[in-house]
Amino acid sequence: MADNSHGWPRLVIIFLIVFPVGLGVVLYRLVESSFEAAALPIHELFGPTATAAARNGQALGGSERVGEGDVLAPEDLAYDWKAGVIYTGCEDGWVSRVRVNESVVVEKWVNTGGRPLGIVLDHFNNQLLVADAEKGLLSISKEEGVVKVLTEEAEGVKFMLTDGLDVSHEDGMIYFTDASHKYKFNDFIWDILEGNPNGRLLSYNPLTNQTKVLLHDLYFANGVTLSPDQTCLIFCETLMKRCRKYHLKGEKKGSVEPFIAYLPGFPDNIRYDGEGLYWIGLSSGASQSWNLALRYPFIRKLVALLERYNCRPKMEKNGGALAVDLEGRLISHYYDPGLSLISTGLKIGNHLYLGSIGYPYIIKLNLLNHPAQP
């Protein structure tokens, strides 16, 4: 009888090499041909990661849960300091008012009938403005709570995922983003995995009812905020892990330049705190698995298959918030391995409030008791 003792290990090695490769090819082909992952501009996406001088990497340890069970996935937060109330939009369509001055009281105020995301107080017209992913750009009168659709399309293209917004305190001009003109909110992961620039930055003039596209071809355009002097917009591109600056006035009017790039994760909303800092909600840190997926379209296509069959492994962790100064320098970073899908960081006094698209509460962190450390 022939001795095959040396042949079996060789066969096992060949099997261990061929089987995973073959399985990968089969899985790749199983993904519907209609879905194609695009190559990303790698030279713009990867570089020396922006690092904060001060960090708190265990932010959950000193946190509180505000409005637990009464605010479902509170994506964005807007603070009315006169009333001591936080406005937030939730996944059940409710815009709720959360009183935080003394004891916490949650009031379900107005239901938009859609999915309210970005939210901001318009003191110019005494109203609340909402970027509703399903309904478009909305206004809600603070006195009567009447919902009005301001705009739902631009250049003949309907908004699919109205996302972040801000309003000028000088003339009431509204600036907002449509994260994707192709995918709806519940399908936002497909826009991320596809990797095409389907987002837009827009403006709405309430005096003329004119909607204008300021920028096309953005990679999941998300949060937007006006600079303190109202001369430019800072907006986030989640997929590219960056924020850029759009000039509204002066010699650079209409031009775009970098603000902060190579962030340590994926930015969502951005808010100015009135004290010299922008706060950026970080949905997730940039894990090794996400970095590989961003580099290689075929990996994103395989991830899309796993997503389709609800078996994608959890790739999100180390969500939190970043504080960035007016020059685009990263000052402090609050995060935690247990945090994911964080959408907003809002500083009120000595506390940082975090919104999310995953938790049924607002996260509150005392910055004095739990500061970021060098």
Side-chain angles (χ1 to χ4, degrees), residues 18-30 302:
V18 173
F19 179 75
V21 173
L23 180 61
V25 171
V26 171
L27 292 176
Y28 185 86
R29 292 186 179 279
L30 279 174
L302 289 176

Side-chain angles (χ1 to χ4, degrees), residues 28 92 121 176 320 369:
Y28 185 86
D92 54 5
L121 288 160
F176 64 105
N369 296 337

